[in-house]
Amino acid sequence: MDVTPRLRLLLIEDSEDDAALVVRALVRGGYDVTSERVDTPATLRAALNRQAWDIAIADYTMPGFSGTVALQMLRERDADLPFIFVSGTIGEDSAVAAMKVGAHDYIMKGNLKRLVPAVERELRDASVRRERRRAEQRIAYLAYHDALTDLPNRSLLHDRLEQAARAANRDSKPLALLVMDLDGFKEINDTLGHHAGDRVLQQVASRVRGTLREADTVARLGGDEFAILLPSTDIDGAILAAQKVLQEIERPLLIDQRPLAVRASVGVACFPEHGASAETLLQKADVAMYLAKSDRQGIAVYAPDRDRHTHRRLTLIAELRQALDARQFVLEYQPIVHLRTGVVVGVEALVRWNHPQHGRLLPGDFIELAEQTGLINPLTMIVLDTALNEWAGVDTLTPLTVSVNLSPRNLQDPELPQRVGDFLKAHGAAPSALALEITENILLTDPARSMDCLQRLHAMGVRLVIDDFGTGYSSLSYLRRLPVNELKIDRSFIADLSSGRDDVIVRSTIELAHNLGLTVVGEGVESAAMHDQLMALGCDTAQGRYFAEPAPAAQTRGWIVRQGALGLL
Ligand code: C2E
Ligand code: MG
Ligand code: MG
């Protein structure tokens, strides 16, 4: 590429001849020069106003103008513009003084052959300086802004919120803070990819920004969480603004040419009702956002009576993480009994959390939270490991199957079959000694991935059980597609049996399951009546209080041994 470099030259020079000499030297040096000569402060200012310059070359002493004054004027405009003195009269002292005020070089008029190399070097240095300055400005900008959306970040929001809170206190004016979190953003990221996720965040950011006034601050707090600061706005105004924002977001976005519906939850906290400091308002808006999310109502205003609940939830998440490391989870087992023979054929592992403060917690207290936070994966690994450890190789009359409950999310983990295989090997257990219980709606999220997981587990020889059957949306024909061995009728249908109500659901489920080659378990058997009726309907196995409550491994083993010894059931 041999293009003549263009050079926009600003000459600060009283002598037209000297100016021409400089220009000629540069043209000879290969520059395509466009230049302007000025020799008074007024003409210099006009030239600076008119256009941008690549370099300034100035005489040091002119009759009506001083080179150093010219340099100062230039520096006020552009700290990086290369500046070279070319002078016939410059002495060593003046040269040093010139460099001190910020000239980059000085050249004697009688020695113009130094000019071209000096210009080349100064242009290069200037571009490096500009680059560095841009980088510094970017860094300074990013300290207070989010790179993806260009919105203010948490730090800047915090500063503005503090200022706004102070002003609101002083002027007795209201102030509202909204915290907004997108619903299901993780799924968008997981299914469409991070690139699409980023697009969503950018479009949401610009829509929210566009909905609000100039004086309002829209910030990105991180992830899919945004905050909106509304000065001079009370609770009613905040709700209106939140409604407008949600409406705007819920118009489908266009992501990679495809429409995508996005929803969000907004929490509202206001000064003076809910707090006076930036810190408190942020925290309360955050709590309100969680309330909106759990109620699926879009918008929630901070409510002190519900705060404790949410606070507890946040604490519980942190504690759940610690509990995994501290191994605070223990298993209880409930025997599963073959109805016709009374033989114990398996045990179901049910997890409990020995919480250091709250005592023994049941799955209903924490499984959903573990699912929402992804902690269900490590938790399931602990359960699998413990269950196999406590039952593999235990000597009973007939081989026992130990059942472990899976969450839908476990089947999204492509490594699950491998991990299960590793555990079986480590504990020397046959695959058929393990049953995994899944629920019907397991295929609602990413069916292909879940199905792949199930098929691999099935191929390994692990037993698969549909748990809580009848509570989901699936039909028996849908089950045909799943590689399962067994179906567990939900305890609500078993409970219906005792009330003498129609047993048609249980009866037809058992029949159809048998036609599909599946065995059937009844759960939640609490009485002899339920037991007898299930047996009469041809149900294969059952579990429930009528036989035994869930209990620690040793206790359950004792119970099994006693049953065998007494030959009961
Ligand atoms: P599930 O798999 O349907 O487990 C049976 C539940 O019924 C257990 O409740 C058990 O204690 C209870 N139960 C036992 N006998 C009777 C009875 O005669 N009548 C009645 N009404 N209920 C009875 P639990 O232990 O509270 O577990 C609740 C649910 O939590 C389980 O339902 C299962 O879906 C889930 N779960 C338990 N352990 C785990 C686990 O390790 N991982 C996962 N992902 N989920 C688990
Ligand atoms: Mg179960
Ligand atoms: Mg169940």
Side-chain angles (χ1 to χ4, degrees), residues 331 334 348-352 362-364 367 371 376 379-380 383 404-407 410 437 439 467-468 488 490-491 523-526 543-546 548-550:
L331 298 183
Q334 184 168 50
E348 177 176 8
L350 297 160
V351 67
R352 278 83 179 94
L362 290 173
I367 287 289
E371 283 169 349
I376 192 68
L379 176 58
T380 302
V383 173
V404 167
N405 291 282
L406 293 188
S407 290
N410 291 132
E437 299 192 0
T439 51
D467 200 356
D468 303 340
K488 190 181 279 194
D490 189 66
R491 56 180 167 277
E523 70 176 352
V525 175
E526 295 178 352
Q543 62 186 100
R545 263 171 225 149
Y546 171 66
E549 295 271 6

Side-chain angles (χ1 to χ4, degrees), residues 194-208:
H194 286 278
H195 175 74
D198 287 353
R199 288 269 99 72
V200 168
L201 293 174
Q202 286 168 332
Q203 292 191 23
V204 165
S206 91
R207 283 196 187 177
V208 175

Side-chain angles (χ1 to χ4, degrees), residues 509-523:
T509 303
I510 293 171
E511 265 170 32
L512 283 164
H514 282 164
N515 285 341
L516 289 172
L518 307 177
T519 56
V520 184
V521 200
E523 70 176 352

Side-chain angles (χ1 to χ4, degrees), residues 208-317:
V208 175
R209 186 57 275 183
T211 315
L212 300 165
R213 296 195 197 117
E214 202 60 49
D216 305 333
T217 297
V218 180
R220 181 171 173 225
L221 297 178
D224 58 343
E225 213 178 24
F226 297 84
I228 300 165
L229 167 61
L230 306 169
S232 309
T233 306
D234 60 9
I235 295 183
D236 291 338
I239 293 173
L240 277 178
Q243 280 167 344
K244 256 188 0 192
V245 165
L246 287 185
Q247 241 168 38
E248 198 52 32
I249 291 177
E250 284 168 14
R251 276 194 302 115
L253 305 172
L254 210 56
I255 303 296
D256 299 337
Q257 269 109 49
R258 272 180 304 178
L260 183 75
V262 174
R263 301 181 69 86
S265 304
V266 180
V268 179
C270 291
F271 168 83
E273 291 88 344
H274 306 134
S277 75
E279 215 54 73
T280 320
L281 286 170
L282 247 176
Q283 193 214 325
K284 307 239 152 132
D286 207 43
V287 167
M289 190 275 291
Y290 271 107
L291 296 178
K293 219 172 243 292
S294 63
D295 294 352
R296 296 177 196 281
Q297 59 180 191
I299 303 168
V301 177
Y302 174 76
D305 49 322
R306 295 189 58 191
D307 189 1
R308 231 174 319 123
H309 184 68
T310 312
H311 183 71
R312 185 179 142 109
R313 182 191 142 96
L314 293 175
T315 318
L316 214 56
I317 293 174

